[in-house]
Amino acid sequence: MSTGIPSFTGDASPYGGGDPYADYRTADFPFTQYADLADRRLGAGVIAANDEFFAERENLLKPGAAEFDPEHFGHKGKIMDGWETRRRRGVSAQQPHPTEDDHDWALVRLGAPGVIRGIVLDTAHFRGNYPQAVSVEAASVAGSPSPEDLLADDVKWTVLVPRTAVGGHAANGFAVDVEQRFTHLRVNQHPDGGIARLRVYGEVAPDPAWLGVLGTFDLAALENGGRVEDASDRFYSPATNTIQPGRSHKMDDGWETRRRRDKGNDWIRYALVAEAEIRAVEIDTAYLKGNSAGWAALSVAAEGSEEWTEVLPRTRLQPDTNHRFVLDAPAVGSRVRIDIYPDGGISRLRLFGSLTEAGTARLTARHQELGG
């Protein structure tokens, strides 16, 4: 863990009315530029928990910030937007307190296997009912294991976050420095309590054997190991939205920039999963109607190079439309840049092709380095 990340401990003040986030404790974490590997859009899920008496485990992965309604109660008590377990008790009147080893747990399947760079356990609105401490372990298990498979004695769990005191109504962030590929997490709260949200930031590490069988696939897709290197503007929404699975279902599920008042243009730079041959391109402006980009152009470059070769010249885009282009010749590279003119946005970018021999070799070597 990084000692430079602010930590929070202790109760937050009881809710006093007004904006429930007014006294929320948070910080800027150095790892949030990475993708959230626990994003449900990638296929993540909370597949089991030993207890979810007050609030269900699935809330951990809900998009957006946790909500709070002070008047919302149910048959079991206050309804919270998070995962909350019952209060643990000791074994007798003489031993009323839980032991040091007592804890609650939840098993999380990552949406895409990857190398984890940071974790946020958010206790928003859990002011006096948050866990005293948390810990997180990770495992790499092939296929689609059941909860029973993951809890078997032969599964190796690696500690990513040791047992650490946390605070209520706070974003508790932890940097991770374990260079391994993981598929599942075990989130522990000691001894009990509630966590509103879980975010797991990292780099997708795809299985080269799977991509090899596919042959032709989306080389920029987040689930296949593509990523955004940089973007000129993230005012309304993150550029990573453009490589999320599926089509956009609403305007803020794409990438939209602020309105330009100069003569420049906006852009996104991507790193492909590895060196590849791009043969076909999709540029989708779904749900961007009065604010879609006017034109777009596409260029490729080799890894580490700033020499860009245009492969799709500046082309007119239509609002709320999926545009398809077959390239005249395969474009070879490991980086891609899309330029939009003058501003606006796109919802998705798909780059279809296959890995080169060099790209396959590099991806396979990386997979082995990460224990795959």
Side-chain angles (χ1 to χ4, degrees):
M1 292 187 302
S2 170
T3 57
I5 296 178
S7 60
F8 307 103
T9 56
D11 294 348
S13 299
Y15 175 62
D19 179 7
Y21 274 103
D23 60 341
Y24 176 67
R25 296 177 286 177
T26 189
D28 291 327
F29 301 120
F31 43 73
T32 54
Q33 76 272 22
Y34 295 102
D36 181 7
L37 302 180
D39 192 327
R40 284 200 59 84
R41 288 177 294 180
L42 284 174
V46 187
I47 61 175
N50 72 306
D51 186 302
E52 47 187 328
F53 185 86
F54 286 114
E56 59 191 16
R57 64 184 190 263
E58 287 86 358
N59 289 335
L60 282 171
L61 305 188
K62 286 172 65 175
E67 298 179 357
F68 180 73
D69 180 352
E71 305 299 327
H72 196 191
F73 285 83
H75 294 295
K76 295 181 180 180
K78 182 73 185 72
I79 295 177
M80 297 293 290
D81 185 10
W83 169 48
E84 185 180 7
T85 66
R86 73 193 78 199
R87 299 187 188 215
R88 282 184 171 268
R89 296 292 185 248
V91 296
S92 68
Q94 289 70 38
Q95 296 178 324
H97 302 291
T99 70
E100 280 297 305
D101 294 331
D102 285 343
H103 67 280
D104 293 318
W105 53 263
L107 297 177
V108 178
R109 178 189 64 242
L110 297 180
V115 182
I116 298 169
R117 302 301 184 192
I119 295 172
V120 175
L121 291 163
D122 191 341
T123 57
H125 316 304
F126 289 93
R127 296 170 175 269
N129 51 346
Y130 59 95
Q132 182 183 38
V134 298
S135 61
V136 181
E137 303 159 275
S140 182
V141 182
S144 303
S146 68
E148 293 75 21
D149 294 331
L150 292 170
L151 294 172
D153 292 339
D154 60 346
V155 174
K156 178 187 176 184
W157 291 93
T158 300
V159 175
L160 302 186
V161 179
R163 183 168 174 167
T164 306
V166 293
H169 197 45
N172 301 279
F174 307 90
V176 176
D177 186 19
V178 180
E179 203 70 13
Q180 294 182 41
R181 178 181 185 268
F182 294 114
T183 60
H184 293 79
L185 296 185
R186 184 161 61 188
V187 178
N188 306 304
Q189 45 181 342
H190 308 265
D192 54 38
I195 300 170
R197 295 289 187 269
L198 169 70
R199 302 293 184 244
V200 183
Y201 297 99
E203 302 171 55
V204 175
D207 182 350
W210 173 253
L211 297 182
V213 169
L214 293 180
T216 296
F217 58 92
D218 183 356
L219 301 158
L222 185 60
E223 60 189 321
N224 293 333
R227 60 183 175 86
V228 168
E229 289 185 336
D230 200 3
S232 61
D233 188 293
R234 299 177 176 85
F235 190 84
Y236 287 114
S237 47
T240 299
N241 281 353
T242 61
I243 54 175
Q244 289 282 3
R247 294 199 72 198
S248 174
H249 295 288
K250 53 182 181 173
M251 189 174 70
D252 65 350
D253 192 23
W255 172 60
E256 182 188 0
T257 72
R258 75 193 83 193
R259 300 187 187 211
R260 278 191 170 267
R261 299 307 186 208
D262 58 20
K263 300 301 181 181
N265 74 284
D266 289 315
W267 50 265
I268 305 174
R269 288 201 311 265
Y270 303 88
L272 305 182
V273 57
E275 184 185 77
E277 293 185 349
I278 304 167
R279 295 188 289 273
V281 176
E282 284 188 1
I283 303 173
D284 197 351
T285 59
Y287 289 91
L288 295 165
K289 298 181 179 181
N291 50 355
S292 66
W295 293 262
L298 200 73
S299 303
V300 301
E303 184 173 354
S305 172
E306 292 300 328
E307 294 185 11
W308 295 93
T309 300
E310 188 175 76
V311 297
L312 182 69
R314 194 179 304 188
T315 303
R316 188 75 167 95
L317 299 182
Q318 299 300 319
D320 196 26
T321 301
N322 192 23
H323 309 76
R324 290 179 169 174
F325 308 96
V326 176
L327 301 185
D328 293 335
V332 178
S334 58
R335 304 173 69 215
V336 168
R337 171 176 169 142
I338 187 168
D339 286 274
I340 64 169
Y341 300 88
D343 55 24
I346 62 173
S347 62
R348 296 289 189 269
L349 175 68
R350 305 296 188 210
L351 304 173
F352 296 103
S354 53
L355 298 179
T356 64
E357 288 187 12
T360 298
R362 178 158 188 174
L363 190 65
T364 301
R366 176 64 171 159
H367 188 67
Q368 292 171 347
E369 290 172 4
L370 297 175

